[in-house]
Amino acid sequence: NAGVTQTPKFQVLKTGQSMTLQCAQDMNHNSMYWYRQDPGMGLRLIYYSASEGTTDKGEVPNGYNVSRLNKREFSLRLESAAPSQTSVYFCASSESPTGTYNSPLHFGNGTRLTVT
Amino acid sequence: AQSVSQHNHHVILSEAASLELGCNYSYGGTVNLFWYVQYPGQHLQLLLKYFSGDPLVKGIKGFEAEFIKSKFSFNLRKPSVQWSDTAEYFCAVTLRNQGGKLIFGQGTELSVKP
């Protein structure tokens, strides 16, 4: 069972470059999320998609855009990368929005992004 | 602003010692509460959750947490830790019926000495 798959696993960008992080889940989940993890700051929600066709801002959306391409896929785009976006990015999914019972998040293995 | 605070950034224990990790939140409404664990080199996994009912919830691997509404707290406990419990632990909160925004605390790194 693949679960949540993120690509790439590692990426190095120069300041100003753009890239898209890909995420796909095969659990037929309705909700998907993008988090970034930084030392001492835990996980911070960038964007989420409660259901196919909807996206909403999280805690730290500036500098990012997202696309819920279909029920399976949720991509995160950096239009002009900055050193402050150096981080580990996690995609996650849940059967339903996390406010409802018995719907824990399933995480991917992360993408380690370095912006020089 | 809504927030989740974990006051212990790094905890070092010997095997068989008891563990308590603090978690406090500042939400005004009814909340759902979670603890997630991230073992070295792995992604986050759900440890336990609280939605309603008995405020003492039990999770996997002998962990438990107690929801104290008056203190806005959801502390994680384990009577006797093992070396394999070495990991980073995250408390997380979401407002009930306002799905989508699961907010995490800063994390607590636990190191257990064999």
Side-chain angles (χ1 to χ4, degrees):
Chain A
N1 292 332
V4 179
T5 303
Q6 291 183 234
T7 56
K9 293 184 178 179
F10 301 95
Q11 184 70 51
V12 178
L13 293 177
K14 294 184 178 179
T15 297
Q17 288 185 316
S18 62
M19 79 160 295
T20 300
L21 280 64
Q22 307 286 352
C23 175
Q25 52 89 11
D26 62 1
M27 296 172 283
N28 201 35
H29 283 173
N30 291 297
S31 304
M32 298 185 74
Y33 315 83
W34 277 105
Y35 286 88
R36 60 177 289 175
Q37 183 178 23
D38 302 289
M41 303 191 75
L43 278 81
R44 292 180 291 170
L45 181 63
I46 304 171
Y47 270 93
Y48 66 101
S49 172
S51 60
E52 186 179 359
T54 68
T55 60
D56 287 285
K57 295 179 180 179
E59 302 169 84
V60 288
N62 291 345
Y64 305 95
N65 285 301
V66 291
S67 296
R68 185 73 185 266
L69 304 169
N70 47 56
K71 192 172 184 180
R72 290 186 63 248
E73 298 172 288
F74 188 40
S75 62
L76 178 71
R77 183 160 178 83
L78 286 71
E79 291 291 351
S80 179
S84 60
Q85 294 178 305
T86 294
S87 186
V88 180
Y89 291 84
F90 286 98
C91 178
S93 70
S94 62
E95 183 173 355
S96 52
T98 53
T100 56
Y101 188 73
N102 213 23
S103 186
L105 267 64
H106 296 257
F107 284 85
N109 288 325
T111 295
R112 187 173 295 275
L113 174 67
T114 302
V115 183
T116 61
Chain B
Q2 300 166 341
S3 66
V4 180
S5 297
Q6 293 179 242
H7 306 294
N8 313 106
H9 297 295
H10 191 189
V11 173
I12 302 173
L13 295 174
S14 298
E15 277 194 314
S18 63
L19 170 71
E20 181 161 3
L21 302 182
C23 173
N24 290 91
Y25 62 93
S26 62
Y27 283 78
T30 303
V31 295
N32 299 323
L33 300 155
F34 306 80
W35 276 95
Y36 280 80
V37 60
Q38 185 178 27
Y39 296 104
Q42 298 186 25
H43 55 75
L44 276 78
Q45 304 168 45
L46 180 67
L47 200 54
L48 49 76
K49 61 188 177 186
Y50 171 80
F51 277 70
S52 64
D54 188 345
L56 183 62
V57 293
K58 296 189 183 298
I60 60 173
K61 303 185 180 183
F63 286 91
E64 64 180 31
E66 184 174 14
F67 171 50
I68 303 179
K69 188 175 181 180
S70 61
K71 295 185 178 181
F72 297 90
S73 70
F74 190 55
N75 292 354
L76 181 71
R77 300 195 292 248
K78 186 170 183 179
S80 177
V81 295
Q82 301 173 324
W83 176 77
S84 59
D85 293 325
T86 295
E88 191 158 15
Y89 293 81
F90 295 92
C91 180
V93 178
T94 185
L95 286 173
R96 192 170 299 172
N97 299 324
Q98 292 188 26
K101 279 192 174 184
L102 182 63
I103 305 300
F104 285 83
Q106 304 94 320
T108 297
E109 184 178 350
L110 172 65
S111 299
V112 180
K113 297 179 179 179

